[in-house]
Every structure is written in C-alpha cells, then in structure tokens.
Amino acid sequence: MTDRRKDTVFSCVMFLLAGAWTWQVLSTIPPGYGDGDIGPRAFPLAFGLILLALAALLFVTSWPPDREDLCVVAPGGKEVQLSQKIHWLPSALLLGELVLYGFLLEKLGFLIATPVVILLVMMLNLRIRSLRRLFGMSLGLTLGCWLVFEKLLGIYLASGTWIDLG
C-alpha cells in the first residue's frame, strides 16, 4: 500500500471518528448558559470540528491514490524502495496509553494521572531514560496545564474517585 493510499484510508477513519466525536459532543454536553459565553461544550466541539477539517484536507490532498511504488534516490544514484510495512506495535501501545489515561483520570484525577501517563509515554514510546528530563517534563506539563486551565481559565479538571486532590 502506498503512502497516498494509507493517507486516504487514514483520513476516512479519522473523518468517521471525528464525526462520531462531534455528534456525541452535540448530543451529550450542554451549551453555554449566556449569550457569547463559552460553555463546557466549546473545547470538545472545537476539537471535533478541527479534526473533521484536517481529515477532509488530508483526504483531498491524498486523492487520487498513486499507482506507483514510492522510491527515493540514495546517495550514489541508487534507487531504494521505501518500506510499506505498517508498524502496529507503536500504534497499539499509544492506544493502550490513551485508554489507561482515561481510566486513571477518572479514578486518580488529573494531578496524578497526567504525570504518570507522560512518564509512560516518554519511557516506552520515546525511549527517554534521563530522570531529570522524565520528571521535569511530566511535572512541568502537569503543573503548566493545571495553572492554565484550573487557575487562569477557571476550568475544573478531573478529580479522582479513589484519590481526590482537588
């Protein structure tokens, strides 16, 4: 399967997921309570609409699919065929981490689940072993998001059902 065909299939899958996401947001999350106020629906709806637009853009730019195999010219003038192998393990690992994050977010809350999952992603996916970098990124991102969303914007982040840090 060529890269263009992969992009076409991926864009169709993402378009369907974004459509389902947007439909769920519209049917389950109530709108804002005032004229012009941003309510709880604003961010998830914007995310779904942006994902729909990006999937449509990818579909348009990848159509029609190429019939030629993708080759590149290596140094020395020799043509090299690029691998068409799909790497399923990193995709499955990332999907598992996202499911774990959703589970931990409900049970432990934002302040514990976020650094744990960031540590896992950095160690397993990015293969970073520097303790300073691991803890700096996980704690820095968690603190930064907490300050921006909770304190600056006044958006309540998830509190855990097992452990509630507020």
Side-chain angles (χ1 to χ4, degrees):
M1 188 182 298
T2 64
D3 283 342
R4 297 189 109 193
R5 184 155 301 168
K6 286 180 189 176
D7 287 347
T8 304
V9 170
F10 180 73
S11 64
C12 290
V13 170
M14 290 312 299
F15 194 81
L16 290 173
L17 287 174
W21 173 274
T22 305
W23 176 72
Q24 281 288 47
V25 166
L26 289 173
S27 64
T28 58
I29 301 175
Y33 297 110
D35 292 332
D37 287 342
I38 295 178
R41 180 192 284 184
F43 180 73
L45 184 60
F47 175 73
L49 294 175
I50 289 170
L51 191 57
L52 275 169
L54 289 175
L57 180 67
L58 181 62
F59 181 78
V60 168
T61 58
S62 67
W63 190 258
D66 238 358
R67 297 280 181 218
E68 302 172 6
D69 291 329
L70 191 59
C71 294
V72 295
V73 178
K78 187 173 145 185
E79 280 194 8
V80 178
Q81 176 120 8
L82 294 180
S83 172
Q84 300 298 321
K85 181 179 169 187
I86 298 174
H87 301 283
W88 291 103
L89 184 62
S91 301
L93 183 62
L94 188 60
L95 179 64
E97 290 163 347
L98 288 172
V99 170
L100 177 68
Y101 184 60
F103 174 77
L104 290 178
L105 196 60
E106 179 185 350
K107 301 299 180 187
L108 301 177
F110 177 83
L111 291 176
I112 296 175
T114 301
V116 167
V117 172
I118 290 173
L119 276 171
L120 281 174
V121 169
M122 289 179 68
M123 288 171 52
L124 298 177
N125 297 26
L126 302 177
R127 302 191 192 282
I128 295 174
R129 299 291 181 241
S130 167
L131 289 177
R132 193 175 103 206
R133 199 176 277 170
L134 287 170
F135 287 111
M137 286 293 289
S138 62
L139 295 176
L141 280 172
T142 302
L143 180 64
C145 289
W146 178 75
L147 285 173
V148 168
F149 289 108
E150 183 90 21
K151 297 301 176 189
L152 188 63
L153 297 176
I155 298 171
Y156 295 107
L157 299 173
S159 299
T161 55
W162 290 348
I163 300 172
D164 185 7
L165 295 180

